[in-house]
């Protein structure tokens, strides 16, 4: 366990699907429709839990190995995309999201988006929700098909969250502000691979899972919060070498997961009534600001 508690939060980095908006349930509807058309069982949460948060290619391998559909992957995705174009424009923000985004802005906390969704799907899900996504400046939206993320380096690898932080620090540098360190970031995630991604980025994490996902990991919550579910398979030495330039002496180790009960991750069943003080965002001179 760390000898010191996490520092106050200066930036919040957000996943999207199932965290900001209710798109995870819409994904399930689309997938189950195709499965039913081919007399296959509905997608169980034991499989869905492995798909959440992952980039398309990795999720595809897991899904098709389980589904054993009598059609090609190309035929499946053509039909699924048709259904997604119908359902994704219906997305709505999840409880507490708008109040949290507004509250963070009032308190001077920087925000960025880090989603595995590619640009086309992102626009389908977000274009009708400007009151949600206007809280993320264009340069602070990192999508799953961002060319700056190397192939195979999506969640649960830490790259997407480190890149989101880099976009914030580029603006901070231009404004003459002090860099935000990884340990001063709070990642918001609903998925298990996403929690591991945030922990491997050396950041604090809030895990706010779907109720069915929480049931799936009942008894393993502490393992999830530590990022120790083993979703990321890269050799630890290779991971450390890859992120060596991002390390600072005495700071948390970027590239590795956390430890059980280390105090760097929190389980919240809802984002409603968010506990700002728990993360060092305090009221000062009549205003709440990030210290």
């Amino acid at each position: 366990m760390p000898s010191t508690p996490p520092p106050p939060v200066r930036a919040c980095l957000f996943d999207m699907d199932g965290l900001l908006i209710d798109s995870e349930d819409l994904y399930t509807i689309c997938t189950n429709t195709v499965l039913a058309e081919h007399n296959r069982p509905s997608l169980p949460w034991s499989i869905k839990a492995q798909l959440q948060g992952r980039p398309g290619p990795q999720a595809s391998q897991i899904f098709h190995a389980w589904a054993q559909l009598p059609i090609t992957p190309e035929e499946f995705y053509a039909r699924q995309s048709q259904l997604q174009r119908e359902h994704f424009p219906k997305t709505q923000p999840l409880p507490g999201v708008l109040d949290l985004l507004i509250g963070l802005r009032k308190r001077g906390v920087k925000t960025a988006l880090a989603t595995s969704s590619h640009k086309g799907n992102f626009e389908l899900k977000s274009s009708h929700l400007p009151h949600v996504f206007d809280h993320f400046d264009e340069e602070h939206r990192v999508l799953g098909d961002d060319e700056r993320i190397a192939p195979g380096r999506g969640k649960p690898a830490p790259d997407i969250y480190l890149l989101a932080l880099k976009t914030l620090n580029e603006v901070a540098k231009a404004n003459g502000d002090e860099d935000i360190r990884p340990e001063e970031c709070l990642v918001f995630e609903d998925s298990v691979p996403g929690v591991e991604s945030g922990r491997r980025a050396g950041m604090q994490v809030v895990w706010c899972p779907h109720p069915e996902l929480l049931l799936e990991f009942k008894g393993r919550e502490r393992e999830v919060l530590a990022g120790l579910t083993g979703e990321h398979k890269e050799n630890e030495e290779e991971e450390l070498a890859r992120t060596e330039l991002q390390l600072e002496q005495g700071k948390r180790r970027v590239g590795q997961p956390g430890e059980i009960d280390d105090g760097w991750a929190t389980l919240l069943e809802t984002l409603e009534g968010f506990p700002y003080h728990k993360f060092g965002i305090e009221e000062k001179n009549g205003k709440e600001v990030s210290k």
Side-chain angles (χ1 to χ4, degrees):
M1 297 177 66
S3 57
T4 58
V9 166
R10 295 176 59 202
C12 289
L13 313 181
F14 287 86
D15 175 49
M16 180 178 71
D17 293 299
L19 188 285
L20 293 177
I21 57 175
D22 61 357
S23 48
E24 281 295 350
D25 287 337
L26 299 178
Y27 269 110
T28 299
I29 290 171
C30 295
T31 300
N32 283 343
T33 298
V34 183
L35 289 169
E37 290 172 351
H38 296 280
N39 299 312
R40 298 294 295 147
S42 295
L43 185 68
W45 267 95
S46 59
I47 300 299
K48 185 173 176 64
Q50 300 177 52
L51 308 180
Q52 284 186 303
R54 293 184 186 275
Q58 290 91 330
S60 175
Q61 292 178 359
I62 295 168
F63 173 77
H64 286 287
W66 168 81
Q68 296 295 303
L69 284 164
I71 57 174
T72 67
E74 291 74 21
E75 290 170 323
F76 168 78
Y77 285 114
R79 175 60 174 143
Q80 187 187 52
S81 295
Q82 180 185 32
L83 291 164
Q84 290 174 350
R85 289 192 295 272
E86 174 187 345
H87 287 285
F88 282 171
K90 303 174 186 175
T91 58
Q92 291 298 316
L94 287 164
V97 164
L98 283 174
D99 285 344
L100 174 57
L101 293 175
I102 292 168
L104 291 172
R105 176 167 287 188
K106 286 181 178 178
R107 293 159 173 83
V109 177
K110 307 300 182 184
T111 57
L113 186 71
T115 174
S116 297
S117 281
H118 61 71
K119 188 173 187 294
N121 273 352
F122 171 74
E123 291 176 351
L124 282 173
K125 300 168 190 172
S126 67
S127 60
H128 61 292
L129 299 173
H131 58 304
V132 175
F133 291 96
D134 282 355
H135 287 277
F136 303 99
D137 294 337
E138 190 73 32
E139 64 267 33
H140 304 316
R141 300 176 183 180
V142 182
L143 309 184
D145 53 356
D146 193 304
E147 294 181 351
R148 294 171 292 182
I149 300 174
R153 294 294 303 177
K155 301 173 188 179
D159 301 40
I160 192 167
Y161 281 115
L162 294 171
L163 177 56
L165 173 57
K166 182 180 179 183
T167 71
L168 292 174
N169 280 334
E170 286 172 348
V171 173
K173 183 177 181 180
N175 292 335
D177 297 331
E178 182 182 354
D179 272 3
I180 301 167
R181 305 190 308 272
E183 59 267 30
E184 295 175 313
C185 294
L186 181 60
V187 166
F188 286 80
E189 269 287 351
D190 70 307
S191 76
V192 173
V195 170
E196 183 170 345
S197 176
R199 294 305 315 263
R200 285 184 178 275
M203 299 173 179
Q204 302 174 55
V205 175
V206 163
W207 181 36
C208 189
H210 190 288
E212 294 293 331
L213 181 64
L214 192 55
L215 283 175
E216 187 67 30
F217 280 86
K218 185 175 178 61
R220 299 181 63 196
E221 297 91 345
R222 296 162 66 213
E223 185 181 351
V224 173
L225 291 172
L228 292 172
T229 50
E231 299 289 343
H232 186 49
K233 305 301 183 185
E234 185 170 33
N235 180 279
E236 295 289 345
E237 292 183 1
E238 294 175 359
E239 184 69 36
L240 285 172
R242 184 188 296 275
T243 57
E244 186 68 33
L245 295 178
Q246 298 156 350
L247 302 181
E248 295 181 43
Q249 188 68 31
K251 305 301 182 186
R252 290 184 64 78
R253 301 178 72 184
V254 175
Q256 290 191 322
E259 301 173 5
I260 297 291
D261 297 333
D262 61 8
W264 284 67
T266 301
L267 170 61
L268 294 179
E269 294 186 12
T270 178
L271 295 181
E272 295 176 289
F274 184 74
Y276 296 98
H277 295 294
K278 176 179 174 62
F279 301 98
I281 303 171
E282 305 289 352
E283 188 170 345
K284 188 175 182 180
N285 297 328
K287 296 181 180 180
E288 291 202 13
V289 298
S290 179
K291 294 190 297 183

